[in-house]
Amino acid sequence: MPELPEVETVRLGLAPVLVGNSFASVEQRRGDLRFPLPKHFAERLRGRAVDALDRRAKYLLARLDDGEVLVMHLGMTGRFSIDRANGTSLELGEFEDEQKPAPKHEHIVFHLADGTAVRYSDTRRFGLMDLIPGATLPSHALFKGLGIEPLGPDFTAAWLGLRLKGKATSIKAALIDQRLIAGIGNIYACEALFRAGISPMRLAGTLATKTGKPTKTIEALVKA
């Protein structure tokens, strides 16, 4: 399951290709991924330019010139590959021991104005794509309950100490709660706890003082 670092890596790979470019056409080879694709998906994207490519939690956000946002989630097996106009090809997030998905799992192809093709493949189809007005994005069901970004400036030991105060769940369960911290899953919760020397089974509330002041343990966890 791709988590925040994998999604951010994909964003960094797609941004130079998408931002400032526009969709010449879109091949939509099926009507759904995890959920049905929005009505007139391909038609609504045709001719639209990408002004920015952002990330929120595990979602990629392509901000379009008409104010809509193309929201993309990789699910478990989603991946993008890029066929450049000069004939070179790049698959984002592929490792040497992985096999490329069969062509039958290539569900959407974005053909860009400069001749580049961005292909979306998803073997298990747990990913999603949607078109959402940018102004309503914070209140949309996918985003309104998301917590703080762990790489942002507001994620501090003081902030986390107050949120963990009196919390009776395990610290691992707290870290993967998307309503508290957005984007962290099983892998990076375990990695961070290991680096900070904290048992994943430790009660979250014991990391802070009774008044919610951060401890050295919380400071180490935030850094990790």
Side-chain angles (χ1 to χ4, degrees):
M1 174 71 76
E3 298 179 23
L4 186 155
E6 288 83 14
V7 177
E8 180 65 11
T9 298
V10 172
R11 187 193 72 80
L12 291 172
L14 285 176
V17 176
L18 289 179
V19 177
N21 218 330
S22 60
F23 298 104
S25 63
V26 178
E27 289 183 57
Q28 180 184 329
R29 296 174 179 170
R30 60 179 305 117
D32 63 346
L33 294 171
R34 188 194 327 170
F35 304 114
L37 290 163
K39 291 183 178 180
H40 311 297
F41 180 65
E43 291 83 354
R44 288 164 66 184
L45 285 174
R46 187 180 301 121
R48 298 271 62 88
V50 179
D51 290 337
L53 184 63
D54 301 327
R55 178 196 53 76
R56 176 72 170 110
K58 303 175 188 178
Y59 295 92
L60 293 166
L61 308 175
R63 300 186 184 274
L64 308 179
D65 61 350
D66 64 349
E68 285 204 299
V69 179
L70 170 59
V71 176
M72 299 170 281
H73 193 288
L74 299 173
M76 293 183 70
T77 58
R79 66 174 66 216
F80 287 97
S81 60
I82 299 169
D83 291 338
R84 297 187 182 277
N86 63 8
T88 60
S89 180
L90 172 66
E91 186 142 358
L92 303 178
E94 183 180 15
F95 297 92
E96 291 183 1
D97 61 347
E98 291 181 333
Q99 294 181 348
K100 292 184 178 181
K104 69 178 181 178
H105 299 304
E106 186 177 272
H107 306 306
I108 297 171
V109 183
F110 301 114
H111 295 281
L112 305 181
D114 67 353
T116 301
V118 177
R119 304 175 183 275
Y120 178 75
S121 301
D122 194 342
T123 305
R124 301 187 68 179
R125 283 195 292 111
F126 286 165
L128 68 84
M129 292 191 188
D130 203 350
L131 286 167
I132 301 172
T136 67
L137 204 65
S139 61
H140 190 275
L142 293 174
F143 299 97
K144 65 180 181 180
L146 290 177
I148 196 170
E149 287 284 331
L151 300 183
D154 295 331
F155 183 64
T156 63
W159 181 93
L160 186 58
L162 286 173
R163 271 69 184 180
L164 295 183
K165 180 184 68 171
K167 208 168 184 63
T169 188
S170 71
I171 183 58
K172 181 181 176 182
L175 291 180
I176 63 176
D177 183 352
Q178 299 302 294
R179 298 167 298 178
L180 182 67
I181 305 172
I184 297 179
N186 179 64
I187 295 172
Y188 293 99
C190 290
E191 292 287 347
L193 290 168
F194 179 81
R195 290 190 177 195
I198 302 168
S199 167
M201 296 180 288
R202 181 171 172 179
L203 293 181
T206 65
L207 272 69
T209 67
K210 291 182 179 181
T211 60
K213 289 186 178 180
T215 60
K216 294 293 184 181
T217 303
I218 287 184
E219 291 175 0
L221 178 57
V222 167
K223 183 178 180 180

